[in-house]
Amino acid sequence: MIVIGLWVAVSAISLFWTPYRLLDTDGYHVWASPSGSHPLGTDGVGSDVLSWLMAGSRTNLAIALLTVCVAAAVGLLLVAAMVSRNSAFASTSVVVVDALISLPTVLIALILTVPFGASAAVIVISCGFAYGMNLARILRPAAMLAARSPYVEASLWAGASPIRVFFTHILPNTLPVLSVQLSISAGTSLLAEAGLTYLGVGVGSGVPSWGHSLSTSVRFISIYPMAVLWPGLVVTVVVIALNLFGDALRDAIDPLTNSALRNIS
């Protein structure tokens, strides 16, 4: 929570202030080591690394949030189809998910880059689609168990619509698994942003992001390792924090692991 809170706070602060403007360069101090004037040093054009990381935090935060939203929308829509009372429709949905889940995220991003060009939207759509497929596959067993339960049968016999039953009875029973998968998707989207930006199909060259800071300095890792250390460390710490947050959230909302919830029931 501390790491995620700092991430959000830095993203908000970077909207109004960074130590240096992103376009400020100093040709006399390129690849400078950390100092009082540049706490994290400078890159190959003399720009302040800390300023670019602060500005990149809001880009990565937006990518993570949007990816989670797209993945949740795609995944839950497919789960609703796979637990449908129409057996033919449910079976077809399962086959479609099994077929599409084999498409790698990089391939989807490369296909989208042709008409739309390299942008953050390509990362969000490709990652959201791929993670949504995986989310549907993982949520299906828990959703099927709830969909065949007596209280769902009773709700349907009482006249409740299938949509209402899904959101009031089936979806709440998948929340522990859903929280873990969405937190993993948020963390994986940061790794995907770094990888896709390095391949040239991620964010544009003028857009600050942690992947951009890595891709511009990784070629000089053997000469100036400090330039790669900071963005790599930030990505690693945030991804670990997101994964731990998802596990903690699951333990808090799952009655099987939280005895307090069982006592309330």
Side-chain angles (χ1 to χ4, degrees), residues 96-119:
V96 170
V97 170
D98 289 339
L100 295 179
I101 201 172
S102 61
L103 294 176
T105 305
V106 176
L107 178 60
I108 300 174
L110 291 174
I111 295 174
L112 292 175
T113 304
V114 175
F116 300 110
S119 66

Side-chain angles (χ1 to χ4, degrees), residues 20 26-50 223-228 230:
Y20 295 87
D26 186 356
Y28 295 100
H29 297 87
V30 297
W31 302 116
S33 300
S35 61
S37 56
H38 299 283
L40 300 184
T42 62
D43 59 15
V45 296
S47 296
D48 183 61
V49 173
L50 178 59
I223 306 174
Y224 306 104
M226 295 297 291
V228 185
W230 302 119

